[in-house]
Amino acid sequence: MPNSHDLKGLIKFLSRDEWRDCFEDVLDDHFGPVLDASNMDFDDLAEMLGDHWAMTLWGCAFEDFLTQDFEVEGGNIVDEYLKRRGWKEGAQAKAYMKALRTSVMSLYEVSDIVPGKSLMARDLIRGGDPVLVSEGTATKTLQQWGRVAARIVPVAGKNIIGGGLLPFTPEASDALFDGLRAIFGKGPSKKLPVPTNEELQQASPIFTLAWLFDSLGRTMRMEQTTFENGDGDAIVFHDVRFPLTSGVTQKEITAQLKTVPALRQENARFWNWLGDIPKGRLKAGKSGNLAWDTTMEDGTRVLGNVELKGRTLHLSTNSAARAEKGTALMQGALNDLVGRPLTEIRTVEQMMAERPVRDKDTAGPELPPEIATKVVHEFLDKQYRETLDQPVGMLGNISPREAIKTAKGREKAAEWLKYLENRSSSQPDPNDPMATYDFRWIWAELGIENLRR
């Protein structure tokens, strides 16, 4: 006997000719615009996003298919299946199928997550109070104030989530609302009215497409992204090693390096090689890729580091151009005090792969977890208390205390706090001090606890 959420019999029934063609049309509604624009087929999605997400996407289309009526015998596959094969299913399985038959995909904000047990879900499209949802698997990965597209259906006195659950980023959420406003918006403002369940059922493919375009876009950007420094040079780490000439001492090297204006000595054997102070904040390389640069407290760029290690002087920098320039700088300052340099080159990927694993036998002492947590939380308390009086981009570049003076500002402040909580709770380790930080004092400080729902 199938379990209460088992749709295998219904899926097998899908192989009948009259339903197969109808389902192909639904699949095209959900994936056609993306696949056509990218010149891909569905199997390519599995390769790019992974089998799990490919099956979840298929599930979203299938659940949408279950709600539709077609001009074939039986009209709806759930009705026809239960009529012909319902005797094979248990009472709860039939109840689940009937619930999916009338279900609606919507976007929910999740909170009060109890891993392995339940969550609260607030409908961001149709409004209303949050509802308690019984959910085992998803609650182990969802984060406070995260957003998901899903079908919440009542079965045996409980609200449960269907199989097609998609986590939405803020960008995907914006794309979804843009799509819904284009369909349902009225007047010049295109304000989104509350759609009826029937209208929202018809818009089901918009959810899949918004998620797909966002996810594929992020995947492709990551594949195409290259790291650059502030000069626009590709990041390739260079360790240029100058052997000290026989008889030359570290003291002699230090004396010569003190004459180089571009070097700032940090200790007896370490110098920062400094560049200029850039105009404005470096956000990206010249071609728009991710910028990777270090600056001093006054904003001066650090082009590299110079360090004496035994009988070798090391110049470390992050591009071929800087390595060449730094090598010329060292040779000009030291002349015959050093020999011919040798250079070791490593890419970003190699550096990440080579990150050392902490050896419990040789590593230095760690702070006890409770002390580390206390230190981090005290730092965050101070940081966020200062932020309450500083401009925040998400609030229109006004401070949170200024924002709460208006009803619209209080709503924005609540969204801002939910964003902070969601980012904080997204740490891989649930015991990380960032993940355990309690933001409730900020809600109370701003007097908007009633919006934390």
Side-chain angles (χ1 to χ4, degrees):
M1 180 70 70
N3 65 41
S4 59
H5 300 165
D6 193 340
L7 300 180
K8 289 180 181 178
L10 193 54
I11 293 173
K12 186 177 180 181
F13 199 67
L14 184 62
S15 64
R16 297 168 68 97
D17 291 342
E18 64 269 28
W19 299 117
R20 188 189 306 115
D21 292 341
C22 296
F23 187 49
E24 287 296 329
D25 291 338
V26 174
L27 288 176
D28 189 60
D29 290 338
H30 281 259
F31 310 126
V34 171
L35 299 180
D36 292 343
S38 307
N39 194 27
M40 299 188 302
D41 57 33
F42 189 79
D43 289 339
D44 295 323
L45 293 180
E47 185 174 340
M48 294 186 68
L49 301 173
D51 291 338
H52 167 75
W53 291 118
M55 289 304 300
T56 300
L57 291 166
W58 187 93
C60 290
F62 179 65
E63 289 178 346
D64 180 26
F65 172 69
L66 299 184
T67 70
Q68 298 191 31
D69 293 292
F70 300 92
E71 294 181 357
V72 298
E73 184 180 356
N76 174 269
I77 191 172
V78 175
D79 294 343
E80 187 68 3
Y81 176 77
L82 291 178
K83 177 181 177 181
R84 294 176 178 271
R85 300 283 188 272
W87 59 272
K88 292 185 175 181
E89 304 289 349
Q92 286 197 31
K94 288 190 284 188
Y96 180 53
M97 293 178 193
K98 290 178 181 179
L100 287 176
R101 164 75 168 95
T102 58
S103 66
V104 177
M105 177 75 100
S106 194
L107 186 69
Y108 296 91
E109 179 184 76
V110 301
S111 61
D112 299 332
I113 300 166
V114 181
K117 185 177 180 181
S118 66
L119 56 82
M120 297 296 293
R122 182 168 69 94
D123 195 321
L124 298 176
I125 296 175
R126 293 175 292 177
D129 294 329
V131 297
L132 178 65
V133 179
S134 297
E135 170 58 37
T137 303
T139 51
K140 297 176 182 178
T141 56
L142 293 176
Q143 307 297 335
Q144 178 81 351
W145 308 124
R147 293 181 174 188
V148 297
R151 295 174 185 269
I152 295 179
V153 296
V155 177
K158 295 181 179 180
N159 293 313
I160 64 173
I161 295 177
L165 182 147
L166 298 171
F168 265 56
T169 65
E171 294 76 17
S173 299
D174 291 342
L176 172 65
F177 279 101
D178 286 343
L180 294 176
R181 275 191 291 268
I183 298 174
F184 304 123
K186 299 177 181 179
S189 67
K190 290 289 184 180
K191 183 178 180 180
L192 178 65
V194 179
T196 65
N197 286 355
E198 292 75 15
E199 289 174 331
L200 207 51
Q201 279 182 335
Q202 295 172 9
S204 179
I206 300 295
F207 291 83
T208 310
L209 291 170
W211 187 91
L212 257 178
F213 275 115
D214 175 63
S215 298
L216 288 175
R218 285 186 288 111
T219 299
M220 294 174 71
R221 284 194 296 272
M222 287 303 295
E223 290 177 349
Q224 297 169 2
T225 293
T226 59
F227 293 93
E228 298 178 352
N229 60 27
D231 299 326
D233 303 324
I235 295 290
V236 181
F237 296 98
H238 287 65
D239 182 13
V240 186
R241 303 170 184 176
F242 300 85
L244 274 58
T245 304
S246 179
V248 173
T249 65
Q250 287 190 353
K251 186 175 181 179
E252 292 175 275
I253 297 294
T254 299
Q256 287 301 110
L257 293 180
K258 286 182 177 179
T259 67
V260 181
L263 296 182
R264 180 184 298 180
Q265 189 167 9
E266 297 298 327
N267 60 45
R269 295 185 178 84
F270 187 90
W271 294 258
N272 282 311
W273 172 29
L274 303 180
D276 57 356
I277 299 178
K279 295 180 180 180
R281 181 175 295 177
L282 286 172
K283 294 184 179 179
K286 292 180 180 178
S287 61
N289 291 314
L290 296 180
W292 188 330
D293 254 333
T294 304
T295 61
M296 304 296 286
E297 290 184 359
D298 62 0
T300 304
R301 286 192 298 161
V302 178
L303 304 181
N305 305 121
V306 177
E307 185 175 10
L308 271 170
K309 297 180 181 179
R311 300 288 303 168
T312 305
L313 180 72
H314 290 252
L315 165 67
S316 302
T317 189
N318 64 13
S319 74
R322 289 184 181 178
E324 182 179 354
K325 183 178 179 181
T327 297
L329 183 68
M330 293 297 100
Q331 290 176 327
L334 300 174
N335 295 310
D336 57 359
L337 296 179
V338 293
R340 190 171 184 174
L342 296 174
T343 303
E344 180 182 358
I345 299 174
R346 284 176 291 176
T347 64
V348 173
E349 293 77 13
Q350 288 172 324
M351 286 286 287
M352 291 180 174
E354 293 171 3
R355 286 188 301 179
V357 177
R358 185 178 177 88
D359 188 334
K360 294 181 180 179
D361 295 328
T362 60
E366 289 185 319
L367 282 175
E370 62 275 13
I371 301 299
T373 296
K374 184 174 185 295
V375 170
V376 172
H377 286 184
E378 287 179 352
F379 171 79
L380 292 174
D381 285 343
K382 181 177 182 296
Q383 182 185 46
Y384 286 127
R385 192 166 294 283
E386 292 174 352
T387 302
L388 295 182
D389 296 299
Q390 296 174 351
V392 174
M394 285 183 66
L395 303 179
N397 290 319
I398 62 174
S399 72
R401 293 193 194 278
E402 187 70 21
I404 60 173
K405 294 179 180 180
T406 66
K408 186 176 181 180
R410 288 191 290 274
E411 290 287 346
K412 286 186 175 181
E415 291 299 317
W416 171 64
L417 283 174
K418 288 179 179 180
Y419 173 78
L420 294 180
E421 286 197 50
N422 179 254
R423 290 290 300 272
S424 180
S425 64
S426 298
Q427 302 299 316
D429 180 1
N431 297 314
D432 186 286
M434 290 292 292
T436 59
Y437 187 71
D438 191 345
F439 286 81
R440 283 178 293 185
W441 73 268
I442 308 179
W443 293 83
E445 182 82 9
L446 296 176
I448 56 174
E449 304 101 313
N450 61 308
L451 299 179
R452 192 178 185 273
R453 58 182 179 84

